[in-house]
Amino acid sequence: MVTVTSVRGRRLVRVMAVCWARVALLAVCLVPAPVRTQAAGKYSREKNEAAAVKGSNEFRIAKLSQVWDKAQRLQLSPVKQAELHSDLKIQEKDELNWKKLKADGLDEDGEKEAKLRRNFNVILTKYRLDGRKDAVPLDTNYLKDSVDSENDVFDDPKLEKLWNKAKTLGKFNDDEVRKLRREFQHHQDKVEEYHILRETVSRNEDIYQNVISPSEAHIKEDLLHSKHAELKDKHRNVQESFERLRKLIRQGYDEDSEFSEPRVLELWDMAKRSNFTEDELDSIKEELKHFETKIEKHQHYQEQLDLSHQKLKHVETIGDKEHLSRNKEKYAVLTEKTKELGYKVKKHMQDLLARLSQGGLNHNEL
């Protein structure tokens, strides 16, 4: 016969067991979740942002931040830094868009990725940030707008010969010589970009020949075809640009011309060669007028930034802290404004070229 005491004892044991079980469960719930230790992916947001925090906060992609930091250490001129900043911002936007496409499986052949890599290499070479020992000094500024300059030298012998001819003809006034020099500089930039792209494509071809397996030969052929098509377009564009300069030297500036800025004139010529209706050309002309105003504003800020930089260096030697503080503040404002306008001009130019080359403009964008 079971006693009352023994029954109570067993009940007490069961109650205590339940209590201990609940305490153990609560303890498990309160233990912090284990921290994930696997490494973040190459293109993960966490890795890129962490890398950006260590250096510059200008860019979300680590390699672009590293390029920007290197450019600042090498002390590029203020205008060159602003130009580089614009190029890197556009590269960043294109790479982020590509990541979305890749996630959706829309770049299976890797063509867009290869083009992004080429564009990045072009930027590195353009600003002499590719680590090559034969790099040209970076402390120069391309804002050389003097009419009577005896140091106007272009790397391309044909361009230099044509420039000397233009100066000896005597048919251009001072304003037209300034405008003409901008056109020559614009053409030289195109020539340099073409040579850089050609060298980059050649290096990438060697890589693809060694890396891609024979089973992926068709992908290799498509990529090489795409790269050579891009080179061919660049070469044709350089040739058309040079022919335009020759025609300009021969005929002079048209007083009734709608535009004066080289890039806008190039876009307008492209539009006129396409099969646009009169109404479409009127819309294009209106947008190009706005674009030219934007370019002129950007050029004004570039000149002001360069002057501000020269003044700041002068004030630093004087040692007037109050004066120095005001000049630093003005310099910082001009730097940010030049970067902002530079990005807008280059992005607008990129969009216009793409839309005109496709044979039409989206009228909702005008």
Side-chain angles (χ1 to χ4, degrees):
M1 186 173 180
V2 180
T3 64
V4 175
T5 303
S6 61
V7 171
R8 288 178 178 174
R10 284 196 297 272
R11 286 178 180 174
L12 180 61
V13 169
R14 284 200 297 272
V15 169
M16 291 179 67
V18 170
C19 289
W20 279 113
R22 289 178 177 174
V23 170
L25 179 61
L26 181 61
V28 170
C29 293
L30 291 176
V31 172
V35 178
R36 289 184 298 177
T37 58
Q38 64 265 32
K42 180 181 178 182
Y43 294 109
S44 70
R45 181 178 176 184
E46 291 85 354
K47 185 171 183 178
N48 284 324
E49 289 183 350
V53 168
K54 291 180 181 179
S56 167
N57 291 320
E58 291 284 338
F59 303 95
R60 290 167 56 187
I61 298 177
K63 66 177 182 181
L64 301 184
S65 290
Q66 291 166 1
V67 170
W68 179 245
D69 290 341
K70 182 177 180 180
Q72 291 180 305
R73 289 197 305 271
L74 292 176
Q75 296 182 338
L76 274 72
S77 69
V79 173
K80 281 292 186 186
Q81 282 196 34
E83 289 292 298
L84 171 63
H85 190 273
S86 301
D87 286 337
L88 291 177
K89 279 294 181 184
I90 290 174
Q91 179 75 13
E92 179 179 57
K93 185 173 182 179
D94 290 343
E95 293 211 15
L96 292 174
N97 287 337
W98 168 76
K99 288 175 187 177
K100 293 177 183 177
L101 291 176
K102 187 180 180 183
D104 295 335
L106 298 178
D107 189 28
E108 293 181 0
D109 59 359
E111 182 180 336
K112 291 182 176 63
E113 182 181 9
K115 186 173 182 180
L116 278 173
R117 190 183 300 113
R118 292 198 298 275
N119 290 345
F120 180 64
N121 288 334
V122 166
I123 290 173
L124 294 180
T125 309
K126 179 180 176 182
Y127 294 96
R128 309 293 195 269
L129 298 170
D130 53 355
R132 293 176 57 176
K133 293 182 180 180
D134 58 345
V136 176
L138 289 162
D139 57 350
T140 58
N141 197 314
Y142 68 81
L143 286 175
K144 299 174 183 176
D145 222 6
S146 173
V147 176
D148 301 318
S149 175
E150 296 297 329
N151 299 316
D152 287 325
V153 178
F154 296 97
D155 296 333
D156 186 343
K158 289 196 304 181
L159 195 62
E160 177 67 12
K161 183 178 179 180
L162 192 62
W163 174 246
N164 289 330
K165 180 181 178 180
K167 290 196 296 183
T168 57
L169 284 175
K171 67 166 60 175
F172 300 101
N173 60 38
D174 288 355
D175 289 338
E176 288 174 336
V177 171
R178 290 191 184 93
K179 189 192 306 183
L180 186 62
R181 197 193 189 289
R182 286 204 302 270
E183 296 219 35
F184 271 71
Q185 183 64 55
H186 180 54
H187 176 78
Q188 179 166 281
D189 291 343
K190 284 186 177 184
V191 173
E192 289 177 356
E193 187 175 328
Y194 168 73
H195 287 307
I196 291 169
L197 183 61
R198 187 175 63 179
E199 183 181 347
T200 302
V201 167
S202 178
R203 289 203 302 263
N204 284 347
E205 279 181 347
D206 294 338
I207 294 172
Y208 278 110
Q209 293 285 350
N210 296 327
V211 173
I212 298 180
S213 64
S215 62
E216 297 173 309
H218 66 286
I219 297 177
K220 182 198 302 181
E221 289 177 4
D222 289 343
L223 287 171
L224 293 179
H225 177 75
S226 170
K227 287 186 285 186
H228 285 294
E230 186 179 357
L231 261 181
K232 188 176 179 180
D233 286 342
K234 287 281 186 186
H235 186 254
R236 185 177 63 249
N237 189 247
V238 167
Q239 288 180 315
E240 290 174 352
S241 175
F242 187 74
E243 284 304 312
R244 169 182 157 68
L245 287 175
R246 289 178 62 182
K247 181 181 177 182
L248 189 57
I249 299 305
R250 186 172 63 253
Q251 298 180 355
Y253 279 101
D254 181 4
E255 293 181 0
D256 298 325
S257 176
E258 296 286 342
F259 308 105
S260 61
E261 215 290 327
R263 284 167 284 184
V264 180
L265 284 164
E266 179 185 337
L267 291 168
W268 181 233
D269 287 343
M270 184 188 299
K272 289 189 292 185
R273 289 196 303 268
S274 302
N275 297 320
F276 291 112
T277 66
E278 288 298 321
D279 288 342
E280 287 173 329
L281 283 174
D282 287 340
S283 296
I284 294 169
K285 186 187 296 183
E286 198 61 34
E287 178 169 7
L288 290 179
K289 286 179 180 177
H290 291 302
F291 182 48
E292 186 169 56
T293 301
K294 189 183 292 183
I295 290 174
E296 290 170 351
K297 187 176 181 181
H298 178 226
Q299 288 174 342
H300 168 74
Y301 272 94
Q302 283 182 316
E303 292 166 2
Q304 292 301 308
L305 177 62
D306 188 45
L307 291 172
S308 177
H309 182 246
Q310 293 174 20
K311 188 174 181 180
L312 181 60
K313 288 195 295 184
H314 174 69
V315 172
E316 284 176 339
T317 61
I318 298 174
D320 183 343
K321 291 184 179 180
E322 185 178 347
H323 198 192
L324 179 62
S325 177
R326 288 200 304 269
N327 277 273
K328 281 185 175 179
E329 185 177 345
K330 182 180 180 181
Y331 177 69
V333 170
L334 285 169
T335 299
E336 289 307 310
K337 191 65 178 178
T338 306
K339 287 179 186 176
E340 178 189 348
L341 286 170
Y343 173 79
K344 288 181 179 179
V345 166
K346 290 195 174 186
K347 192 69 180 71
H348 200 167
M349 180 75 181
Q350 187 184 65
D351 293 343
L352 283 168
L353 276 172
R355 288 148 59 195
L356 284 172
S357 63
Q358 292 168 2
L361 291 176
N362 182 344
H363 292 283
N364 292 328
E365 297 182 57
L366 297 179

